[in-house]
Amino acid sequence: MESYGQEQQQQEQVVLVTGCSQGGIGHALAKEFAANKCLVVATSRSLNSMRDLEHDHRFYVQELDVQSDEDVQHVLSTVLEKFGKVDILVNNAGVQCVGPLAEIPLSAVQDTFNTNVYGPLRLIQAVVPHMASRRKGKIVNVGSVTVAIPTPWSGVYTSTKAALHTLTDTLRLELKLLGIDVINVVPGAVRSNIGNSATASYDRMPEWKLYKPFEAAIRQRASFSQQSKSTPTEEFARKTVATVLKKHPPAWFSYGYFSTLASIMHHLPLFVKDFMIRRVFKLNSK
């Protein structure tokens, strides 16, 4: 990718997106930002997962592991040196973690928090001084509709997203003082490669002891969001990017299959919510 002149840099917004592996939400978001005349810094842990973007002048492809302080600092300094700014940061990178909380290895829990919670915070702390110096910028954190209706077997993932939602609410108030907008994007069930990656991660889990009779149901939870009625990734990206690029974006944006139902269920009495979840997930003692 050739260097851009100062005039062109000022005209086009520079958007840094994490978790841009092909087939995922981040990849679709990156392509949609590019379609809206943005310069997109597409990042992922593996360059191979973004090969289709490499020869498109609208993208600057960078390898970035959000768990690495060194990676974050290196990518950000490289981007600022090349483009002189970051207008929008999209914290999309995330991993699933499926299993019963009483038996799931703590190392898997820590790894999930390191990616889904500390990863976004690393990027935020790295980019905020630059945005604050311009008194301009947007930070987008991609949460999850599961926070509204926690379900069995995905407690680790849901709790990381709940933490991210809370951080986002706090950041929105704190960073507004510095001229920075913070948007919580909450996907419903959106078609992506998260089901495949969740299954691959689940295959590395130990054999359950107390929950062995529920093995099939637990494994099925890994791909629960990937059903026929799930919202197409491109549709979700189109709606999200249009919202983020507004001059005055909303603090909260939720879209996708289940998002309306989740919002309704969130306000139901606990005993009603528990009853419905037990029915859906067939939680009968075995």
Side-chain angles (χ1 to χ4, degrees), residues 97-207:
C97 186
V98 174
L101 288 172
E103 294 193 62
I104 202 161
L106 278 179
S107 58
V109 177
Q110 291 165 338
D111 185 71
T112 309
F113 268 86
N114 202 2
T115 296
N116 296 2
V117 181
Y118 306 139
L121 202 49
R122 280 188 189 93
L123 269 299
I124 290 165
Q125 291 189 347
V127 82
V128 159
H130 161 71
M131 288 183 173
S133 71
R134 300 173 67 218
R135 293 202 63 83
K136 183 181 180 183
K138 294 176 182 176
I139 293 173
V140 180
N141 290 334
V142 179
S144 173
V145 76
T146 61
V147 174
I149 43 168
T151 58
W153 325 130
S154 64
V156 175
Y157 175 79
T158 301
S159 59
T160 64
K161 291 300 185 178
L164 187 60
H165 283 205
T166 302
L167 288 173
T168 304
D169 285 340
T170 302
L171 286 163
R172 184 177 64 253
L173 298 170
E174 293 178 350
L175 295 185
K176 192 68 176 176
L177 302 171
L178 306 178
I180 302 167
D181 291 319
V182 180
I183 305 120
N184 195 11
V185 168
V186 185
V190 177
R191 230 167 281 154
S192 74
N193 57 7
I194 194 168
N196 294 334
S197 58
T199 300
S201 171
Y202 183 76
D203 288 340
R204 296 192 292 272
M205 290 292 173
E207 185 176 339

Side-chain angles (χ1 to χ4, degrees), residues 34-82:
N36 281 269
K37 300 181 180 177
C38 297
L39 290 170
V40 181
V41 181
T43 72
S44 175
R45 281 183 296 182
S46 168
L47 290 177
N48 282 328
S49 67
M50 305 180 288
R51 288 296 180 198
D52 63 312
L53 305 179
E54 274 193 320
H55 303 295
D56 189 326
H57 72 277
R58 301 173 302 171
F59 299 96
Y60 183 50
V61 179
Q62 290 284 288
E63 195 167 82
L64 170 62
D65 180 354
V66 299
Q67 292 196 13
S68 166
D69 295 333
E70 293 76 15
D71 273 16
V72 169
Q73 293 299 332
H74 171 72
V75 169
L76 190 63
S77 60
T78 301
V79 169
L80 290 177
E81 184 178 343
K82 189 173 187 68

Side-chain angles (χ1 to χ4, degrees), residues 224-239:
F224 183 75
S225 66
Q226 304 303 299
Q227 46 192 283
S228 60
K229 293 183 180 178
S230 296
T231 301
T233 320
E234 294 74 16
E235 178 186 334
F236 173 79
R238 196 163 53 248
K239 297 282 189 181

